[in-house]
mmCIF file of all heavy atoms in Angstrom:
data_model
loop_
_atom_site.group_PDB
_atom_site.id
_atom_site.type_symbol
_atom_site.label_atom_id
_atom_site.label_comp_id
_atom_site.label_asym_id
_atom_site.label_seq_id
_atom_site.Cartn_x
_atom_site.Cartn_y
_atom_site.Cartn_z
ATOM 1 N N MET B 13 11.482 7.682 8.167
ATOM 2 C CA MET B 13 10.689 6.871 7.256
ATOM 3 C C MET B 13 10.671 5.402 7.631
ATOM 4 O O MET B 13 9.834 4.657 7.152
ATOM 5 C CB MET B 13 11.246 6.987 5.845
ATOM 6 C CG MET B 13 10.797 8.253 5.187
ATOM 7 S SD MET B 13 11.117 8.282 3.433
ATOM 8 C CE MET B 13 12.561 7.215 3.279
ATOM 9 N N THR B 14 11.571 4.959 8.501
ATOM 10 C CA THR B 14 11.591 3.531 8.804
ATOM 11 C C THR B 14 11.111 3.232 10.225
ATOM 12 O O THR B 14 10.980 2.080 10.588
ATOM 13 C CB THR B 14 13.009 2.953 8.633
ATOM 14 O OG1 THR B 14 13.914 3.817 9.328
ATOM 15 C CG2 THR B 14 13.388 2.891 7.170
ATOM 16 N N SER B 15 10.800 4.259 11.004
ATOM 17 C CA SER B 15 10.289 4.008 12.353
ATOM 18 C C SER B 15 8.904 3.391 12.258
ATOM 19 O O SER B 15 8.212 3.521 11.253
ATOM 20 C CB SER B 15 10.213 5.321 13.135
ATOM 21 O OG SER B 15 9.224 6.149 12.591
ATOM 22 N N GLY B 16 8.474 2.671 13.269
ATOM 23 C CA GLY B 16 7.195 1.955 13.241
ATOM 24 C C GLY B 16 6.027 2.890 12.967
ATOM 25 O O GLY B 16 5.930 3.963 13.550
ATOM 26 N N ALA B 17 5.132 2.461 12.060
ATOM 27 C CA ALA B 17 4.007 3.295 11.684
ATOM 28 C C ALA B 17 3.011 3.409 12.830
ATOM 29 O O ALA B 17 2.376 4.446 13.004
ATOM 30 C CB ALA B 17 3.316 2.718 10.452
ATOM 31 N N GLN B 59 9.213 2.881 0.715
ATOM 32 C CA GLN B 59 10.123 3.936 1.183
ATOM 33 C C GLN B 59 10.721 4.712 0.011
ATOM 34 O O GLN B 59 10.880 5.932 0.078
ATOM 35 C CB GLN B 59 11.222 3.324 2.063
ATOM 36 C CG GLN B 59 10.691 2.926 3.438
ATOM 37 C CD GLN B 59 11.527 1.825 4.090
ATOM 38 O OE1 GLN B 59 12.655 1.572 3.687
ATOM 39 N NE2 GLN B 59 10.951 1.187 5.111
ATOM 40 N N THR B 75 5.818 8.983 4.371
ATOM 41 C CA THR B 75 6.511 7.853 4.962
ATOM 42 C C THR B 75 6.114 6.603 4.180
ATOM 43 O O THR B 75 5.052 6.571 3.556
ATOM 44 C CB THR B 75 6.133 7.663 6.447
ATOM 45 O OG1 THR B 75 4.710 7.701 6.567
ATOM 46 C CG2 THR B 75 6.738 8.765 7.313
ATOM 47 N N GLY B 76 6.965 5.597 4.211
ATOM 48 C CA GLY B 76 6.684 4.382 3.445
ATOM 49 C C GLY B 76 6.786 3.140 4.302
ATOM 50 O O GLY B 76 7.745 2.989 5.068
ATOM 51 N N TYR B 77 5.802 2.263 4.189
ATOM 52 C CA TYR B 77 5.757 1.030 4.986
ATOM 53 C C TYR B 77 5.167 -0.105 4.173
ATOM 54 O O TYR B 77 4.453 0.120 3.193
ATOM 55 C CB TYR B 77 4.859 1.210 6.213
ATOM 56 C CG TYR B 77 5.216 2.370 7.083
ATOM 57 C CD1 TYR B 77 4.513 3.571 6.982
ATOM 58 C CD2 TYR B 77 6.232 2.272 8.030
ATOM 59 C CE1 TYR B 77 4.821 4.649 7.790
ATOM 60 C CE2 TYR B 77 6.550 3.345 8.843
ATOM 61 C CZ TYR B 77 5.846 4.534 8.720
ATOM 62 O OH TYR B 77 6.155 5.593 9.521
ATOM 63 N N GLU B 81 1.536 -2.600 7.962
ATOM 64 C CA GLU B 81 2.036 -1.615 8.909
ATOM 65 C C GLU B 81 1.510 -0.223 8.533
ATOM 66 O O GLU B 81 1.148 0.574 9.404
ATOM 67 C CB GLU B 81 3.566 -1.617 8.910
ATOM 68 C CG GLU B 81 4.155 -0.869 10.097
ATOM 69 C CD GLU B 81 5.683 -0.977 10.186
ATOM 70 O OE1 GLU B 81 6.292 -1.584 9.279
ATOM 71 O OE2 GLU B 81 6.245 -0.430 11.153
#
Side-chain angles (χ1 to χ4, degrees):
Chain B
M13 280 192 332
T14 49
S15 68
Q59 286 156 17
T75 49
Y77 305 99
E81 194 174 3

